[in-house]
Amino acid sequence: MSNLTEIEPFGEGFVEAMGPELILFAGMLLLIIVPNLGQGTFRIPGTQLRLPWLLGGQRFEFTSDPRLPAWLATFTLGGAFFNVLYTFSQGLDRVAIVSESGKQLLLVNGFSRIFELIFFGALALAAFSSMNRLRVNGVGSKVSETELFNNRRQADFYILMVTCALGMSVVALAQDLFVLFIGLELASFSTYVLVAFLKESKVGVESGMKYFIVGSVASGVGLYGLSMLYLWAGSLQFDVLATAFATTSSTDMALPLIGIGFVLVGFGFKVSAAPFHFAAPDAYAGATSPVAGVLATASKAMGMIGLVRMLLIVAAPETGDGSAIWLVCLGVLAAVTMTWGNLAALGSDNPKRMLAYSSVAHAGYMLAALTAVGAWNWDAAVSGDAGAAAVAVLTAVIFHLLVLVAFKLGAFLVLSILESEGDVSRLSSLGGLAKREPLLAVSMFIFMISLAGVPPMAGFLSKLLVIMGIVRVAVGDMGAELADGGIYALGDMHWVWWLALLMVLNSAISMFYYLRVGVVMFFDEPEEGREGPLPAGWQVRAAIFACVLTTLIIGVAGDAVLRLCEMAAQSLNYDW
Amino acid sequence: MQDWISLPLVGFPLISSLLLLAFVSKVSESMRNKLSDPIRMACLVFSLVLLGITTGMFFQYFGDVSWEGIGFNQYEYSHRYTWIESLGIHWTVGLDALSFPMVWLTTFLLPVTIIATWNEKNGATYFPIVLAMGGALIGVFVALDLFMFYVFWELTLIPMFFLILMWGGADRKYASQKFFIYTFTASVVMLLGLITLYFFQDPGNPLDYAGSMTGRSFDIPTITQHALAENSNGNWYLGANIQKVLFAMLMLGFLVKLPAVPFHTWLPDAHVQAPTGGSMLLAGVMLKMGAYGMFRLPISLFPHALEYFQLALMIIGMVSLVWGAIVCLGQTNLKKMVAYSSVSHMGVILIGIATMQPMGWAAALFMMFAHGIISPMLFAVCGAFKHHYHSMEIGAMRGMAKHSPWIATSMMFAWMASLGLPLLAGFVAELMMFIALWYFIDANGWSVFWMVGPALVLALTAAYYLWSMQRTIFEGGDETQPPASLHGEPVPDLASPEKLAMLILAAFTILFGVMPWIGLDMMHDWTKQIFDGLILPILGDFNGGI
């Protein structure tokens, strides 16, 4: 337990509390300014006197280096990442940033910090591995070295990555639906541009447009819902909304329920839950692979925060009967999402689309976990097994999002190496990878079976935790009552148990398409024109290696990370 | 006592093979070919060290462990390290009369497999993968923690997948995926069963080694002890309905692995496409994981449900036995025939389990062991056949006795051992199963017609084995006409490493046929103990049991 400190913006302790965000902000300024530094001069009007003024003109060799923006972004995001880690190691204090009237705007606690770890980690890896390899002429076309290093567009790319991180961290911190929405939009607009970054290619434009249009419609619907909630409660503070929701009688529920439903559409798009997932496969296929990886990990985690806040804080399960009003609805959504994602992935030959659908399936698993929370009390007052069960499920969700960064992003990074030698829109482009670069093929195989949930990878542990959370809620106190002579059958368990069964069956289905990647890499011959060695780039290989190590180490010894996630889960609703 | 000894048994092969593989993947293609010999030698030495350790454990060299008279839920060399404390996951290991023979068998088969497939291509990667397979298998058998058990259970799939995919026959792509997906599907259902079992424990009743986050324990000895206390009171542990459901969910995973009809269809594909070494380990040890799991979990925890499902298990066992034998009769592919004969023999294990007699269970345990020595020899013969004649068809090569006496002799020996010739290991297990089944039928008033299936299968097995021998070894045999698949090359015989492997396997088949008590005594002691402690209190004045 730690005390809550309230700080006004720029008050005492503000810099410490907002350390990661300030690092990001400073990095963003550097990214804008430094690549523009050159031998530019300023002529004093009416004289021949020229003062060096550094902006513009012939750029220095240092500032025109195409690697510079990537290094800046990597150090910024990495610095923010380690700053967060440092605050964890120092024992986290809860700090609220309040407005003048005392309303909480942002809250720094374990929950928000762990999500910042996810965001900054994913974005730093993506930025680092894009270094030197970002092509500006779109997927599939060969470009010369000079074209490849078009510095100014490089700088844009990395600036957007940093703004994206800034927006996401605001979402993690926000205690007010409006602040959350501002962060969400900042991150969204950055990702829209990042997805459309390959604007020279047809597929890049198509994916950018689709993602933007569908995304902005989802945001618009969400904003409409937000206005309804404001109309109903007169405030957008989460705690005010939660209190209002708890006290409203069920006959007056229509307005808030519609509002919450609309807001959930916006977040559902971000986590790519069915039926809001249609833009995701196109967006992933057209974006550069590291950006697609960010969409599948950081952006999904951001949407998950929104879902958690709306479902578990605002529309919290009632204390009495313990079943939330959205329970059945979310359960159906989870079942549909995981099944749809897996079935669609079975039929897709494009590895990036396949990974997109697998991301939809993973969203389904996490929605199933949230459903389980709704099946039981989510209340600080319930000290017994119920509260612990909810914490366990939420821990599983956070752990899953955290380790997903390692193996989902890692898979996209492997694809990005292949992408820089040509189109990877067919599975056969992975052919013969085991002969061309065995370690890369083994890494990809590890990522695939980790996604499928095979031990001893991190993906197994996270899936196990989700299943364990669901089963724990479903079984409830029956274990103790059985020991006292109670009689129970399978049907006496809560129906969320069947979601766990559906989830393991879905894992079995998913094995088909994950294993197919392995078979193609180790069995098939390379495609024509891909026989030679793979494109160089130590940065991306280092990033992939880090992902493999994380996947294996967390899979084998995940206790410390697990405890971190548990602490984060507790801090959502407890005084931690 | 060296309690930690299971740690190197599991960790050493896994880690050394990973290091070898990582090293090999960094070197160039030509270097890799040069490295193949030293790596093979290293793997052989490593596996011999493992065999030395387990043999030393048997002869009470490492600590004074008596393998006879080990009680139910008592473990030797048991040790526990904390792994993931918040979930109650521990690295818990231990050996009893159920798992020790399997561990010894694994370490015995590793060097034999390496010798038998001495000249396998891409040896620099092949032999480390075989070694890794051994480590994962040992892990399954020593694990006494549900989580750890499941981790190793699934881990065995990965090396076997690569063995089939990269060294298998023409259709290996299909076979490897089918193998992986089929068994994975069954084991995720089993996983859900394990987790449901985990949460049905009573957290109020203080559990040893419980997780700080969950209050439940993955510890198999602890769970078994709770279950035993509850079951022997006459109650059903976890209640009747839940016990039945969990029994069925766990059994599904084990029946697919065993495999029993109708879940056996992955096995013939996997075997026919797998390389010789893969087949030897698959048939020799991996199938036994299913039977081992049945004893370790559903039978030990849910004896009431076992009694409830006794008839179903008996029927599945009978069908596997008979169906496997009938299908064998129709095979023209030598390896497929041997694969189906494995299905048939696994039926014997299931029948032994379904009798719920100490002798039936001992028969099942001894069958696991005997089949673990005989079936690798069957597959080694098939591999040699394929290797030398480039064909697997029965009748592609005729009159082998004259062309290649070594292959012919090994084949005859292996075939005879598998059909249950007295004085060979397989006979002991089959005989015991017959006695136990007859006793069970007699004591419980079941119809005598239950004996028809096993009796019929005795004849069928003899028929398909003798028939295939007649067509390959003796018939024809004109020395001037070698088979067409050789394209005029000289007719080969076994290479010397293959001869050595055959001799070792044959010697142990005879050893355990003539002196079965070496392994059987501890098995029968253990099954007697589990029967007395677990089954008798349930069945009351049940017909005794032999």
Side-chain angles (χ1 to χ4, degrees):
Chain A
M1 299 286 163
S2 57
N3 296 322
L4 180 68
T5 325
E6 297 200 334
I7 299 172
E8 282 191 28
F10 303 104
E12 201 181 331
F14 180 75
V15 176
E16 286 84 0
M18 293 276 108
E21 286 72 26
L22 292 177
I23 291 177
L24 287 181
F25 194 71
M28 190 174 75
L29 291 182
L30 279 181
L31 264 171
I32 294 172
I33 295 168
V34 173
N36 284 312
L37 292 183
Q39 293 158 340
T41 50
F42 173 71
R43 187 170 66 87
I44 295 172
T47 67
Q48 290 297 316
L49 211 57
R50 286 174 180 275
L51 295 175
W53 121 276
L54 294 181
L55 282 176
Q58 176 73 38
R59 287 182 295 161
F60 303 122
E61 198 176 330
F62 164 66
T63 52
S64 65
D65 187 330
R67 286 179 289 264
L68 177 72
W71 276 118
L72 279 176
T74 307
F75 277 117
T76 308
L77 292 162
F81 180 83
F82 285 109
N83 189 297
V84 176
L85 269 189
Y86 176 74
T87 57
F88 268 121
S89 71
Q90 291 296 302
L92 204 59
D93 281 331
R94 289 197 308 148
V95 180
I97 310 294
V98 293
S99 68
E100 276 178 39
S101 56
K103 283 181 186 163
Q104 277 190 17
L105 299 177
L106 305 173
L107 177 66
V108 181
N109 63 2
F111 182 77
S112 58
R113 280 293 185 235
I114 200 135
F115 274 96
E116 289 184 355
L117 272 189
I118 296 172
F119 302 146
F120 302 155
L123 282 161
L125 280 175
F128 185 56
S129 55
S130 302
M131 187 181 302
N132 234 356
R133 300 174 38 264
L134 198 65
R135 38 183 44 225
V136 288
N137 281 36
V139 176
S141 56
K142 299 259 178 193
V143 280
S144 68
E145 290 285 303
T146 45
E147 277 176 294
L148 208 78
F149 302 146
N150 185 330
N151 187 1
R152 281 166 209 271
R153 292 218 31 215
Q154 293 258 338
D156 295 350
F157 185 84
Y158 296 105
I159 292 170
L160 287 168
M161 285 217 159
V162 175
T163 53
C164 187
L166 203 55
M168 286 174 172
S169 69
V170 169
V171 172
L173 295 167
Q175 286 299 301
D176 183 301
L177 199 49
F178 189 70
V179 177
L180 187 144
F181 223 83
I182 291 172
L184 189 76
E185 288 302 289
L186 179 58
S188 298
F189 274 91
S190 310
T191 49
Y192 296 150
V193 184
L194 284 175
V195 167
F197 196 74
L198 302 174
K199 61 180 182 185
E200 290 85 355
S201 71
K202 263 187 177 172
V203 59
V205 174
E206 185 198 344
S207 72
M209 282 307 283
K210 267 192 182 161
Y211 194 61
F212 173 64
I213 291 174
V214 179
S216 50
V217 168
S219 295
V221 172
L223 208 55
Y224 186 49
L226 197 135
S227 67
M228 287 168 122
L229 286 178
Y230 188 72
L231 179 69
W232 163 65
S235 167
L236 289 173
Q237 294 281 111
F238 282 127
D239 47 357
V240 178
L241 286 174
T243 319
F245 194 87
T247 50
T248 307
S249 68
S250 56
T251 46
D252 299 334
M253 271 297 189
L255 186 63
L257 281 185
I258 294 173
I260 289 170
F262 279 176
V263 172
L264 289 185
V265 170
F267 297 127
F269 170 75
K270 284 285 164 216
V271 299
S272 53
F276 316 115
H277 69 281
F278 289 108
D282 291 307
Y284 289 28
T288 61
S289 289
V291 170
V294 168
L295 288 186
T297 55
S299 189
K300 182 189 285 282
M302 177 176 74
M304 213 37 130
I305 294 179
L307 285 181
V308 167
R309 295 240 194 251
M310 288 311 288
L311 293 177
L312 303 187
I313 299 291
V314 175
E318 284 170 43
T319 329
D321 58 358
S323 59
I325 197 159
W326 39 263
L327 190 64
V328 178
C329 178
L330 197 69
V332 171
L333 211 61
V336 171
T337 303
M338 65 173 97
T339 316
W340 191 335
N342 274 320
L343 292 181
L346 271 184
S348 57
D349 187 47
N350 181 339
K352 282 162 95 176
R353 291 183 81 90
M354 185 272 276
L355 283 174
Y357 282 119
S358 108
S359 162
V360 173
H362 279 263
Y365 303 151
M366 284 181 281
L367 289 184
L370 287 189
T371 313
V373 179
W376 216 346
N377 287 318
W378 176 249
D379 196 314
V382 182
S383 57
D385 216 26
V391 168
V393 181
L394 200 59
T395 306
V397 173
I398 296 173
F399 186 83
H400 189 75
L401 287 168
L402 191 65
V403 295
L404 202 59
V405 173
F407 46 87
K408 190 75 167 229
L409 187 61
F412 275 111
L413 293 184
V414 173
L415 288 183
S416 89
I417 293 185
L418 287 162
E419 202 173 59
S420 44
E421 64 172 359
D423 189 27
V424 280
S425 64
R426 304 191 67 77
L427 196 56
S428 54
S429 23
L430 283 159
L433 196 61
K435 292 195 186 83
R436 303 175 69 200
E437 198 167 329
L439 281 185
L440 214 55
V442 170
S443 312
M444 188 68 172
F445 187 74
I446 287 177
F447 296 144
M448 285 299 123
I449 58 175
S450 183
L451 280 168
V454 177
M457 312 303 166
F460 166 67
L461 198 56
S462 72
K463 205 170 268 186
L464 178 86
L465 281 169
V466 172
I467 297 175
M468 276 174 72
I470 297 174
V471 172
R472 180 173 186 171
V473 168
V475 171
D477 290 328
M478 280 155 69
E481 286 160 28
L482 275 174
D484 292 339
I487 297 170
Y488 287 101
L490 197 60
D492 293 327
M493 281 193 269
H494 196 279
W495 56 263
V496 290
W497 189 85
W498 297 99
L499 280 180
L501 185 65
L502 190 65
M503 196 174 146
V504 298
L505 293 179
N506 263 301
S507 302
I509 297 176
S510 71
M511 208 65 225
F512 279 94
Y513 56 86
Y514 291 131
L515 216 51
R516 198 162 58 196
V517 175
V519 170
V520 168
M521 287 189 304
F522 284 90
F523 185 87
D524 288 358
E525 291 300 316
E527 258 183 344
E528 219 170 295
R530 282 184 187 266
E531 290 89 356
L534 284 158
W538 64 267
Q539 292 95 339
V540 64
R541 283 177 176 76
I544 290 171
F545 187 63
C547 289
V548 170
L549 272 190
T550 318
T551 307
L552 284 173
I553 290 176
I554 296 187
V556 173
D559 203 22
V561 181
L562 195 57
R563 278 167 198 280
L564 208 63
C565 294
E566 190 194 4
M567 191 267 284
Q570 279 170 345
S571 70
L572 178 66
N573 206 16
Y574 293 81
D575 298 330
W576 225 96
Chain B
M1 217 159 62
Q2 286 85 348
D3 282 344
W4 43 264
I5 202 144
S6 318
L7 197 61
L9 272 184
V10 180
F12 179 64
L14 281 179
I15 292 169
S16 61
S17 60
L18 277 184
L19 290 179
L20 282 174
L21 284 174
F23 172 63
V24 163
S25 66
K26 290 299 283 182
V27 301
S28 68
E29 190 89 31
S30 58
M31 190 64 189
R32 208 172 296 164
N33 291 334
K34 277 185 209 155
L35 275 175
S36 149
D37 280 2
I39 285 182
R40 174 176 61 198
M41 210 60 212
C43 289
L44 180 63
V45 171
F46 290 167
S47 57
L48 283 175
V49 169
L50 294 178
L51 178 61
I53 294 175
T54 51
T55 312
M57 285 158 82
F58 177 74
F59 287 111
Q60 308 181 358
Y61 186 74
F62 300 102
D64 191 21
V65 172
S66 169
W67 293 105
E68 284 170 25
I70 297 181
F72 174 50
N73 206 22
Q74 283 175 12
Y75 306 95
E76 305 292 343
Y77 296 109
S78 61
H79 204 79
R80 190 176 278 112
Y81 295 98
T82 304
W83 190 352
I84 300 179
E85 199 192 345
S86 39
L87 300 178
I89 293 168
H90 298 260
W91 174 280
T92 313
V93 291
L95 291 168
D96 58 7
L98 168 63
S99 52
F100 180 69
M102 288 294 110
V103 172
W104 186 84
L105 182 67
T106 312
T107 54
F108 166 73
L109 282 182
L110 273 185
V112 173
T113 304
I114 291 174
I115 293 171
T117 54
W118 195 250
N119 293 318
E120 191 65 73
K121 60 180 193 284
N122 294 332
T125 39
Y126 170 81
F127 292 105
I129 290 183
V130 169
L131 198 62
M133 183 76 201
L137 287 168
I138 295 173
V140 172
F141 294 126
V142 299
L144 285 180
D145 180 283
L146 292 177
F147 178 85
M148 187 184 158
F149 173 76
Y150 185 79
V151 165
F152 282 109
W153 177 273
E154 294 289 32
L155 193 60
T156 55
L157 295 182
I158 298 168
M160 187 50 80
F161 172 74
F162 279 109
L163 281 181
I164 299 177
L165 179 67
M166 295 173 73
W167 286 274
D171 210 10
R172 57 190 191 268
K173 207 168 154 179
Y174 168 76
S176 58
Q177 291 184 74
K178 183 172 180 181
F179 157 76
F180 200 117
I181 292 166
Y182 211 117
T183 50
F184 182 79
T185 309
S187 38
V188 287
V189 175
M190 181 183 92
L191 174 68
L192 185 59
L194 292 179
I195 294 175
T196 311
L197 164 67
Y198 178 79
F199 281 109
F200 264 112
Q201 297 171 63
D202 175 16
N205 189 354
L207 287 163
D208 295 333
Y209 314 110
S212 58
M213 224 170 104
T214 53
R216 273 84 161 180
S217 172
F218 273 118
D219 200 58
I220 292 179
T222 308
I223 298 173
T224 311
Q225 194 189 335
H226 277 253
L228 180 65
E230 191 74 11
N231 281 321
S232 51
N233 276 342
N235 302 325
W236 293 52
Y237 177 55
L238 304 183
N241 299 320
I242 302 289
Q243 186 169 119
K244 285 176 205 162
V245 170
L246 290 182
F247 183 87
M249 285 177 85
L250 298 188
M251 279 307 260
L252 179 68
F254 299 135
L255 283 175
V256 169
K257 200 65 148 201
L258 191 61
V261 178
F263 309 114
H264 66 289
T265 54
W266 63 270
L267 183 79
D269 283 312
H271 264 318
V272 171
Q273 301 304 329
T276 307
S279 284
M280 287 170 75
L281 287 178
L282 182 63
V285 198
M286 215 170 163
L287 304 188
K288 311 317 185 287
M289 282 162 52
Y292 168 81
M294 287 181 199
F295 277 106
R296 181 62 81 215
L297 295 172
I299 294 178
S300 298
L301 301 179
F302 308 130
H304 291 278
L306 174 66
E307 197 202 352
Y308 180 82
F309 285 109
Q310 187 179 27
L311 180 63
L313 286 180
M314 189 66 96
I315 290 172
I316 294 176
M318 288 286 175
V319 170
S320 300
L321 183 73
V322 178
W323 178 252
I326 290 175
V327 173
C328 275
L329 274 178
Q331 294 306 317
T332 57
N333 184 314
L334 203 60
K335 216 170 174 184
K336 215 163 190 168
M337 187 190 88
V338 172
Y340 275 109
S341 89
S342 285
V343 176
S344 184
H345 282 103
M346 294 301 110
V348 173
I349 293 182
L350 214 50
I351 292 173
I353 289 175
T355 58
M356 289 178 73
Q357 301 281 338
M359 182 172 270
W361 287 354
L365 291 186
F366 199 71
M367 188 54 150
M368 283 158 69
F369 189 71
H371 188 257
I373 295 177
I374 295 168
S375 68
M377 188 166 179
L378 295 173
F379 282 108
V381 169
C382 289
F385 196 88
K386 167 84 178 171
H387 187 70
H388 296 302
Y389 302 131
H390 312 298
S391 170
M392 210 63 115
E393 290 301 302
I394 297 173
M397 177 67 193
R398 294 189 173 225
M400 263 194 339
K402 288 177 193 159
H403 296 299
S404 353
W406 270 94
I407 300 185
T409 316
S410 330
M411 183 170 172
M412 209 164 119
F413 184 86
W415 264 223
M416 286 301 174
S418 186
L419 68 79
L421 196 71
L423 290 184
L424 298 180
F427 170 73
V428 181
E430 286 184 22
L431 183 70
M432 282 168 65
M433 187 278 284
F434 267 99
I435 296 173
L437 180 63
W438 187 249
Y439 186 86
F440 167 78
I441 286 173
D442 189 40
N444 285 274
W446 283 34
S447 160
V448 181
F449 286 106
W450 284 101
M451 289 304 288
V452 172
L456 183 70
V457 166
L458 276 186
L460 287 179
T461 310
Y464 64 75
Y465 273 136
L466 291 175
W467 175 71
S468 63
M469 276 201 295
Q470 178 235 338
R471 292 190 58 193
T472 45
I473 300 184
F474 300 114
E475 198 178 73
D478 189 348
E479 263 175 292
T480 55
Q481 282 183 342
S485 57
L486 279 181
H487 303 296
E489 293 166 35
V491 181
D493 203 347
L494 286 187
S496 8
E498 287 173 329
K499 284 180 191 167
L500 180 61
M502 298 291 183
L503 283 177
I504 296 171
L505 287 168
F508 277 88
T509 310
I510 296 173
L511 176 71
F512 287 105
V514 178
M515 300 195 286
W517 58 83
I518 299 174
L520 195 53
D521 276 0
M522 65 163 113
M523 294 174 185
H524 195 243
D525 277 358
W526 187 78
T527 53
K528 188 81 183 130
Q529 295 251 21
I530 179 173
F531 181 80
D532 288 345
L534 193 67
I535 304 297
L536 271 186
I538 297 171
L539 301 176
D541 54 346
F542 179 68
N543 52 74
I546 44 172

